[in-house]
Amino acid sequence: MFPSKRNLSFAAEWDPQDGVLIAWPHAGTDWAYMLDEVTACYVELARAILQDDERLVVIAPDAEEVRDALGADVDWSRIQIVEMPTNDTWVRDYGPITVWRNGSTALTDFTYNAWGMKFAADCDNLVTSRLHERGVFKLPLFNCRDLVLEGGSIETDGNGTVMTTTCCLTAPNRNDAITREQLEHVLLERLGCMKMLWLDHGELAGDDTDGHIDTLARFAPGGIILYTGCDDPEDEHFEPLMKMEQDLKRFTDADGNHYHLIKLPLPEPIYDEISRSPATYANFLVMIHQVLVPLYGQPQNDVKACALIGEAFPGRKIVGIDCRALICQHGSLHCATMQLPKGALTNL
């Protein structure tokens, strides 16, 4: 069963998968100052992915570093390491985006410029095309590089509707040459969707991405949106997240149906040396049998978030991953992963 009423559609994260793509942290990234700590987080993440019926594709400049970190007691028959240079580890934003085309899956490759040219991206921008050239993918790859688009900036309900944020998609140095209306038209065409929902409020403090949707609001099967909420009037996020909630209440799907909303707690503030980090429970990853949920060492909030996400994904095991290391560079679990659709991967 395909997820859309049309022959081309942006695939939902809960559609069938072959595996998950991650990019390994190394000394040439911003992780250099805390490499041991973040590597331990990636080991935990990789091992959790391998607990599902999925494969793990790891991109890294040095395959031996990955082998040494993961150890001999993992199922290496389901791990593929592809050596290539990377600038950073946020593969959600430069990995392939999946669409359904005429009853089968395909991959798309958009331009990635590190959230409006904020950071170096010369290597990350080539990852998807290089993986395709190396024969990692057996699905066709469609060139969409005339547009800048990050995977973390768009969400789909799998039935023809895309959700995004105005603050991100209209931010400078992405697609400045076209209007919001033109961008909506071309993205709906490329993704094969019928409706785009624009959130006008809700960016989290410390978010380098200009407000990615995967930090704020996420679809789940059956017409559900899980979203980041705030109940503390003294918190800087209280008013913008309340306004975001009002946007969500007005949203309807391609058939005119309102969504069922589930409010996730906002983690207690986490600060680096300069500013607040954009910690969020909305940055979860959906797999075949599991949902991996970011944890922040806050037992009450962590437990509540896992329970709420479990309600939205009945039948899947909820697995928490300590993401306190990842949030040090203002990203989390979904940012660090990209699901690969069924039939995407060639044989090892």
Side-chain angles (χ1 to χ4, degrees):
M1 178 179 179
F2 297 107
S4 176
K5 303 164 187 174
R6 301 175 61 176
N7 287 331
L8 167 62
S9 179
F10 181 17
E13 193 162 311
W14 52 87
D15 285 332
Q17 299 177 17
D18 261 3
V20 175
L21 174 69
I22 63 174
W24 206 254
H26 57 86
T29 64
D30 287 342
W31 295 115
Y33 75 102
M34 54 174 294
L35 192 56
D36 289 345
E37 184 180 356
V38 76
T39 297
C41 177
Y42 270 81
V43 169
E44 182 184 3
L45 174 59
R47 286 175 173 267
I49 292 169
L50 291 169
Q51 292 301 307
D52 215 307
D53 294 330
E54 302 203 25
R55 288 163 56 183
L56 175 65
V57 180
V58 184
I59 53 174
D62 186 348
E64 205 57 41
E65 286 187 7
V66 181
R67 293 190 186 98
D68 289 345
L70 289 179
D73 62 335
V74 296
D75 184 357
W76 282 100
S77 70
R78 294 195 291 120
I79 302 173
Q80 183 175 10
I81 304 174
V82 186
E83 286 191 331
M84 66 175 64
T86 57
N87 303 105
D88 215 331
T89 54
W90 308 121
V91 72
R92 171 64 49 179
D93 292 338
Y94 55 81
I97 295 171
T98 305
V99 296
W100 296 93
R101 286 177 182 262
N102 299 316
S104 61
T105 45
L107 304 174
T108 59
D109 184 19
F110 290 86
T111 287
Y112 170 72
N113 69 357
W115 317 300
M117 298 188 287
K118 293 184 178 70
F119 307 100
D122 56 309
C123 297
D124 294 344
N125 185 39
L126 297 176
V127 162
T128 293
S129 59
R130 283 173 169 168
L131 287 170
H132 187 254
E133 291 165 3
R134 302 272 189 94
V136 175
F137 304 137
K138 66 180 179 182
L139 292 177
L141 182 68
F142 290 89
N143 186 336
C144 298
R145 297 178 67 81
D146 56 327
L147 288 179
V148 175
L149 184 71
E150 300 118 31
S153 70
I154 51 174
E155 269 283 305
T156 182
D157 62 2
N159 198 35
T161 298
V162 179
M163 181 166 57
T164 189
T165 63
T166 303
C167 57
C168 177
L169 259 63
T170 62
N173 300 321
R174 282 177 168 87
N175 298 291
D176 296 341
I178 59 177
T179 66
R180 168 175 147 164
E181 290 73 23
Q182 291 170 326
L183 180 60
E184 176 175 323
H185 175 78
V186 70
L187 282 179
L188 288 177
E189 182 179 47
R190 298 285 175 87
L191 299 173
C193 290
M194 295 169 275
K195 186 172 188 177
M196 182 168 284
L197 304 173
W198 294 83
L199 275 178
D200 293 326
H201 306 94
E203 183 178 356
L204 299 181
D207 184 358
D208 295 326
T209 71
D210 301 307
H212 270 184
I213 192 68
D214 69 351
T215 67
L216 297 170
R218 303 287 308 283
F219 285 117
I224 293 172
I225 295 177
L226 298 114
Y227 69 100
T228 301
C230 180
D231 295 325
D232 180 4
E234 301 302 315
D235 192 292
E236 61 188 302
H237 296 106
F238 181 76
E239 184 174 348
L241 289 180
M242 286 287 288
K243 291 180 178 178
M244 184 186 81
E245 183 180 63
Q246 296 307 309
D247 286 343
L248 292 169
K249 287 179 178 178
R250 288 190 292 268
F251 283 171
T252 58
D253 65 15
D255 295 317
N257 302 308
H258 287 275
Y259 293 96
H260 173 65
L261 305 183
I262 298 177
K263 183 167 72 172
L264 298 173
L266 181 70
E268 292 297 318
I270 299 173
Y271 293 93
D272 59 22
E273 295 179 355
I274 301 173
S275 62
R276 185 170 178 174
S277 298
T280 169
Y281 294 107
N283 211 244
F284 55 82
L285 173 71
V286 185
M287 300 181 65
I288 298 173
H289 303 297
Q290 304 180 115
V291 182
L292 306 186
V293 178
L295 306 181
Y296 301 104
Q298 301 175 13
Q300 184 174 351
N301 283 329
D302 290 352
V303 169
K304 182 177 181 181
C306 286
L308 291 168
I309 293 170
E311 290 179 13
F313 292 94
R316 284 178 168 87
K317 181 180 180 182
I318 305 301
V319 178
I321 304 292
D322 189 335
C323 289
R324 284 176 287 183
L326 288 181
I327 205 65
C328 290
Q329 283 294 319
H330 296 189
S332 199
L333 193 153
H334 194 252
C335 306
T337 57
M338 175 58 86
Q339 72 279 358
L340 300 169
K342 191 72 174 175
L345 296 174
T346 55
N347 295 327
L348 289 173

